Amino acid sequence: MAENDSHYNGFPGMSRAVALSAPWKPDSDDSTPSRPSAPGSLDSNSSRPPAPDSSNDKPSPPSAPDTPDNQPAPPSAPDSPDNRPAPPSAPDDKDKEPPTPSAPPKPSSSGGSNSVSWLPVYPTPGATSQYYGQVCFLNASANTFPVNITIDGTAYVSNTRFGSLSDYDWVSDGFHTVTVRRATGPRTILLQQILPFTAGKKVTLVLTDSASGGLSMVSVSDTGCSNLPYNAGCYRFANMTYSGFRVSLMNYDGQTVFAGIGFQSVSSYKQAVAGSYAFYVTTSESYRIQNEIPILIGLGQNTSASSAPLLSFQADISAGQNYTSYLIGNTWSDGGLTVITAED
């Protein structure tokens, strides 16, 4: 403490050496000195040394320092912000909090080999399909060359030919661009359409020949027949042949199942008892159409079919399932007319 060498206990001007009072004298004239009394004794022949009355003749006890410049600083109160340890940083301190993971990059919609395709986005096993629908493709075009079909640039079917039916695949809810290109030769775009897709719904996209000579895409909803009675399924019929061609579906009991189905049209579902059914197709003009039967029951064994049906086929219906028979093709191409029955 170099600064306090001339101070004692914080008092300026006081030396470390302490001044003592003068020695006392005996009151009697006897030259023999009296034995000093024990400290605190009240001997009559001697008196206690006079109590010093001057503050300058005895050391004074140190008083509490009253100047902040010369006293040691007391410890700060616990709530003093200057001397207490700094608390750990709050969670919102940007320098201390862990970094927030960045959002995944937005998929690129540009073409090229380095572009990011984001459809289809497959839900993980066990995840809900709250934001996804399902789509499958039927190629009903009579063109002889194969085609590729993409949604927003992502391939869904490749090298599909007339009569090909794909499995259902996932597609996210919303509007998406469906593109059809040649799979061989010049990869020109043959058709491009923006179509809506709905979460939780299934749809079949049917590629057909259009009346203008090009291609068109027909969206057929595969959701809509439920709450079936015991041991019954649902059945419907679709005409995806060519423009101007109208047909009816008959059973072999001579009953009309669906009447007057035009090009690119789909009938409503009908309840059908589980079993195997034989049908034939006729033009609406060549056969007198009777009222449609409300439901399909049993097996038709009658031979009262038209003398010249366009074609016949068999459909197997299971309880609790939905089915659609698609009539495709035409009467002049090599493929002719054919029926594809799909489980919806």
Side-chain angles (χ1 to χ4, degrees), residues 144 330 332-336:
T144 57
N330 53 50
W332 61 86
S333 63
D334 292 340

Side-chain angles (χ1 to χ4, degrees), residues 138 140 204-206 208 218-222 235-242 245-249 257-270 279 281-282 311 313 323-329 337-342 344:
L138 171 62
T204 297
L205 295 185
V206 185
T208 70
V218 180
S219 180
V220 179
S221 174
D222 295 335
Y235 181 75
R236 65 182 177 178
F237 183 75
N239 179 3
M240 298 293 166
T241 54
Y242 55 91
F245 189 52
R246 183 177 295 270
V247 297
S248 296
L249 185 68
V257 181
F258 299 107
I261 307 300
F263 174 56
Q264 295 185 341
S265 297
V266 184
S267 73
S268 59
Y269 281 106
K270 246 173 209 186
F279 299 112
V281 179
T282 184
L311 79 162
F313 65 96
Y323 299 89
T324 303
S325 289
Y326 292 92
L327 178 66
I328 63 175
L337 290 172
T338 186
V339 171
I340 303 291
T341 300
D344 302 336

